[in-house]
Amino acid sequence: MIPLLKRVAVILAAASFAGALVVAMLDLPAPTVHLPAAVEANMAASGVAHPVTAVLLNFRGYDTLLEVGVLLLALLGVLAVTGVRAAPRAVAPAEPAKRMLARLLAPLMMLVAVYLLWAGAIQPGGAFQAGAVLAAAAVLLHLTGILPGWGAPGPRLRVSLAAGFLIFLAVAGALLARGALLAYPPAQAGMLILLIEAGLMVSLGLILAGLFLLLSRDSGDEA
Amino acid sequence: MSSGLVFAAAGAVLFAMGLAGIVLIGHLLRRILAFNVMGSGAFLILVGLAQRAGGADPVPQAMVLTGIVVAVASTALALALARRLHRLTGRTTLSATDSDPE
């Protein structure tokens, strides 16, 4: 156990750290660069009408590119840690009413995901939210015993998992020929962003679902 | 004090709570949760500070959206590692002999 003295010292240190942070934030001068205005000024060239999507996939596209890489790495890490097991176990089937509900909800969730992807251009939404809904549908199907946990991913699944990152990378590489990484030509920007987001939605949905379904295939208790 | 600053201050408190949790809690599952509390604090600070002058700023919002997804991925990896440790050794805490003799 942690001695009382250490416990008190850590809590006091954390409290004073929080206090110092708050005081520093109160003293913070107004920002010299007004980013919302800069975003607003360049919205016309971004290819989409929603500022967050424009920042995410156009102005700061390389952040998103690397983020998808990080997600893929995390999935590889989970695969490496859990080991490859050939026969995934299915969860015990749920009651018929729950199974029925899951079967009804899954296609609706796919519809919502595609809507979110499309809506991302003009209002809150986008590939990440769409991918999260897809992953939630997979988890729902898994928990009701319809979809078994993942074993070793086959070639088709591997390609789908990496497709979002690869499409993004291909677009970035192709645009590099024009001079800068991910500097879309304004006329095609909307099209390219939709292409990237569609790839991202599928891959993100599968990666997020995979993080759950790979961890779920072994209970962790058995040797 | 604008509402943005209130969010940022709450974020600072959450960050400090998560930090203290990581130091004080031995159980890995709770430590992962503390890490997530800490991350949520950082996100609140980012979004709150950016809108302390008024309107929302899309740039930190996009950054936080990126951060949330990365946090989910790192949490899943941490959980996988914690389960692996539990399966191999039966323990749910890190060994005390490596760095923290008591």
Side-chain angles (χ1 to χ4, degrees), chain B residues 56-84:
Chain B
D57 186 341
V59 176
Q61 289 200 3
M63 296 297 104
V64 166
L65 186 55
T66 305
I68 289 172
V69 178
V70 170
V72 168
S74 58
T75 303
L77 184 56
L79 284 174
L81 287 171
R83 285 172 55 132
R84 180 80 175 158

Side-chain angles (χ1 to χ4, degrees), chain A residues 1-2 6-7 10-11 14 17-18 21-22 25-26 28-31 35-36 39 51-52 55-56 60 63 67 71 74 77-78 81 85 128 208 211 215 218-220 222, chain B residues 1 5 8-9 12-13 15-16 19-20 23-25 45 49 52 56-59 61-63 65-66 69-70 72-74 76-77 79-81 83-84 86-87 100 102:
Chain A
M1 262 331 277
I2 300 160
K6 184 179 169 189
R7 191 177 289 261
V10 168
I11 289 174
F17 175 60
L21 264 185
V22 172
M25 286 189 299
L26 287 174
L28 214 59
L35 281 176
V39 170
V52 174
V55 172
L56 207 57
R60 308 265 316 189
D63 282 335
E67 168 199 8
L71 268 177
V78 170
V81 169
R85 204 169 290 183
F128 294 97
L208 291 175
L211 291 175
L215 279 176
D218 53 357
S219 67
E222 50 206 321
Chain B
M1 202 170 180
L5 266 180
V13 172
F15 188 88
L19 196 61
V23 176
L24 288 177
I25 297 171
I45 292 176
L49 266 189
R52 69 187 189 280
D57 186 341
V59 176
Q61 289 200 3
M63 296 297 104
L65 186 55
T66 305
V69 178
V70 170
V72 168
S74 58
L77 184 56
L79 284 174
L81 287 171
R83 285 172 55 132
R84 180 80 175 158
H86 178 64
R87 176 135 36 91
D100 193 13
E102 284 181 19

